[in-house]
Amino acid sequence: SAVISQKPSRDICQRGTSLTIQCQVDSQVTMMFWYRQQPGQSLTLIATANQGSEATYESGFVIDKFPISRPNLTFSTLTVSNMSPEDSSIYLCSALDGAYEQYFGPGTRLTVT
Amino acid sequence: KQEVTQIPAALSVPEGENLVLNCSFTDSAIYNLQWFRQDPGKGLTSLLLIQSSQREQTSGRLNASLDKSSGRSTLYIAASQPGDSATYLCAVGANNLFFGTGTRLTVIP
């Protein structure tokens, strides 16, 4: 299994600013993902973080708003840009292990005022 | 696009009772189905993974089954305990996952 940590665990940000969330996995993994969980909702996939190339975004999510980096097999960042109150959510990082089991980080709770 | 539905949305049971949570999905050409639990304000904990070629998985008091032909999965929890209180999510997919809306379980001591 993979152990995933995220930083920060929570933040309160002003409208129009940006926040970068870090995700660290304790072992090398082939695939990493970023999800969003809006208040009272289930999880929605934002993008697949590809190592060494541009992330693959799901419908409704764009690189300008959610730039993602993945410099190696254990680390990824998600930036939420030009934030508005609608971006208030929990952002979760996940990783897929060799047995196709997906593990999640503890999440970053973001509040935009 | 894959749609995943979970019934019931909420469930309250007395301690010791056996219970079943249901998950249905629209696209039977799934690869894997995974059950998670989420505690309030926390991330997701993986409970069971059923790969596409499998029909069920067991871990302790938990048993999950998968019927691809009918587009259904069930999570059976035996002898429920107050510590089982959480939201249970099922998710299907190949690499990226499509999540259901969850079942909020409360086990009353």
Side-chain angles (χ1 to χ4, degrees), chain A residues 39-58:
Chain A
Q41 306 284 323
S42 192
L43 280 76
T44 301
L45 180 67
I46 297 172
T48 302
N50 299 312
Q51 195 263 328
S53 65
E54 194 171 282
T56 304
Y57 290 85
E58 296 299 305

Side-chain angles (χ1 to χ4, degrees), chain A residues 35 37 42 45 99 101-102, chain B residues 34 38 46 51 95 97 100:
Chain A
Y35 290 82
Q37 187 174 29
S42 192
L45 180 67
E101 188 159 1
Q102 197 154 146
Chain B
Q34 199 165 348
Q38 185 174 32
S46 177
Q51 295 186 353
N95 298 316
L97 294 174

Side-chain angles (χ1 to χ4, degrees), chain A residues 37-109:
Chain A
Q37 187 174 29
Q38 295 179 298
Q41 306 284 323
S42 192
L43 280 76
T44 301
L45 180 67
I46 297 172
T48 302
N50 299 312
Q51 195 263 328
S53 65
E54 194 171 282
T56 304
Y57 290 85
E58 296 299 305
S59 175
F61 297 96
V62 296
I63 188 171
D64 290 346
K65 176 68 175 177
F66 298 102
I68 288 170
S69 78
R70 191 175 172 199
N72 56 50
L73 293 176
T74 64
F75 185 78
S76 179
T77 66
L78 168 74
T79 299
V80 186
S81 303
N82 188 25
M83 288 184 284
S84 66
E86 292 71 36
D87 295 320
S88 297
S89 294
I90 300 174
Y91 292 86
L92 298 110
C93 164
S94 73
L96 195 67
D97 75 1
Y100 297 100
E101 188 159 1
Q102 197 154 146
Y103 296 91
F104 281 79
T108 296
R109 183 180 294 271

